[in-house]
């Protein structure tokens, strides 16, 4: 897990954290994924959910699973009930 | 279906068509303006000039279509939304101008100008993305 149990971070993914850990700018990450910088910004801010191929590409780039990077809010809500 | 994520390639291929075609377009417009007197020229020559000026624009339209096909998914979504907005704004203006003409409020307006209006609206719809924050 990337954050302590019980802490609600209010974000749908940890892409920004992973990116800053690597010391990359949004433009650099966009370059590595061959997408626009706006795409990275939209994914980080939760404005846009990537398709499966792009999510897999992101997961591969950071050496993690999709579930580790993207938080399934629906599943989290069900688990909380 | 695997979605293409070829933002750079799509942009490069778009620019390779867009800028030469714009140069051809400007050359044709200036050439026909200064070399041909459209009042005295035969109809076939005027028609040829009109078609010649339109061809590079058709190629640019094709370039836009190809770019939206080839670019990454989020950019495609934004482009398509911008094209939608531009189409709606232009058709709205077409209706407004049409009714103003029907009710004799205004005189004739060159249909040509709806083309630039479409691309102006397309540019306006894409404007917000220019102010995205880079982190």
């Amino acid at each position: 897990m990337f954050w302590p149990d019980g802490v609600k971070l209010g974000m749908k993914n940890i892409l920004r954290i992973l990116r800053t850990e690597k010391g990359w700018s949004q433009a650099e990450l966009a370059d590595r994924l061959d997408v626009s910088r706006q795409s990275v910004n939209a994914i980080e801010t939760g404005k846009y959910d990537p398709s499966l191929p792009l999510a897999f590409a992101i997961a591969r780039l950071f050496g993690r699973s999709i579930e580790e990077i993207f938080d399934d809010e629906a599943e989290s809500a069900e688990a909380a009930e | 279906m695997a979605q293409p994520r070829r933002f750079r390639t799509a942009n490069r291929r778009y620019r390779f068509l867009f800028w030469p075609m714009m140069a051809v377009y400007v050359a044709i417009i200036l050439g026909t303006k200064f070399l041909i007197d459209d009042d005295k020229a035969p109809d076939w020559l005027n028609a040829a000039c009109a078609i010649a000026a339109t061809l590079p624009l058709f190629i640019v339209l094709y370039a836009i279509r190809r770019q939206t096909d080839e670019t990454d998914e989020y950019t495609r979504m934004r482009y398509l939304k911008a094209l939608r907005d531009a189409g709606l704004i232009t058709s709205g203006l077409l209706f407004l101008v049409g009714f103003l003409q029907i009710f004799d409020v205004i005189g004739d307006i060159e249909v040509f100008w709806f083309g630039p209006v479409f691309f102006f609206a397309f540019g306006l719809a894409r404007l917000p993305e220019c102010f995205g924050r880079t982190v």
Side-chain angles (χ1 to χ4, degrees), chain B residues 65-76:
Chain B
R65 184 189 188 280
R66 191 178 66 176
Q67 189 191 26
T68 53
D69 270 346
E70 293 180 346
T71 195
D72 69 90
E73 58 198 44
Y74 180 69
T75 307
R76 180 184 312 114

Side-chain angles (χ1 to χ4, degrees), chain A residues 16 26 37-38 41 44-45, chain B residues 128-135:
Chain A
R16 186 186 296 268
Q26 285 185 343
R37 203 264 312 155
Q38 287 87 354
N41 186 57
E44 284 187 354
T45 52
Chain B
E129 75 196 48
C130 299
F131 300 106
R133 195 161 61 99
T134 302
V135 181

Side-chain angles (χ1 to χ4, degrees), chain A residues 44-69:
Chain A
E44 284 187 354
T45 52
K47 280 190 283 188
Y48 176 71
D49 292 329
S51 67
L52 264 181
L54 182 53
F56 272 115
I58 293 168
R60 266 196 307 274
L61 186 64
F62 290 105
R64 296 179 189 267
S65 67
I66 290 177
E67 291 88 346
E68 284 177 302
I69 299 173

Side-chain angles (χ1 to χ4, degrees), chain B residues 6-125:
Chain B
R6 297 173 294 180
F7 178 69
R8 281 169 297 183
T9 310
N11 276 1
R12 192 169 59 245
R13 280 159 60 84
Y14 173 74
R15 285 194 299 267
F16 276 8
L17 265 186
F18 179 82
W19 290 114
M21 285 305 112
M22 281 295 100
V24 169
Y25 175 71
V26 170
I28 290 171
I29 293 294
L30 292 178
T32 53
K33 171 104 179 141
F34 292 111
L35 300 177
I36 294 167
D37 182 353
D38 55 358
D39 289 331
K40 292 177 185 169
D43 285 346
W44 67 266
L45 185 57
N46 283 333
C49 291
I51 291 168
T54 312
L55 277 178
L57 295 179
F58 273 119
I59 294 173
V60 168
L61 291 173
Y62 164 73
I64 292 173
R65 184 189 188 280
R66 191 178 66 176
Q67 189 191 26
T68 53
D69 270 346
E70 293 180 346
T71 195
D72 69 90
E73 58 198 44
Y74 180 69
T75 307
R76 180 184 312 114
M77 185 187 74
R78 285 186 300 114
Y79 281 11
L80 291 178
K81 281 183 177 179
L83 286 167
R84 174 204 63 189
D85 292 344
L88 292 174
I89 289 169
T90 310
S91 53
L93 282 174
L94 264 167
F95 277 119
L96 176 65
V97 169
F99 277 118
L100 288 173
Q101 287 178 336
I102 287 170
F103 286 97
D104 292 328
V105 179
I106 59 170
D108 288 344
I109 289 179
E110 297 278 357
V111 176
F112 169 82
W113 291 109
F114 287 102
V117 163
F118 174 80
F119 284 106
F120 182 71
F122 180 49
L124 274 186

Side-chain angles (χ1 to χ4, degrees), chain A residues 4-17:
Chain A
D5 288 338
V7 175
K8 188 171 174 59
L9 294 177
M11 58 188 294
K12 291 174 78 176
N13 63 72
I14 57 161
L15 188 58
R16 186 186 296 268
I17 294 169

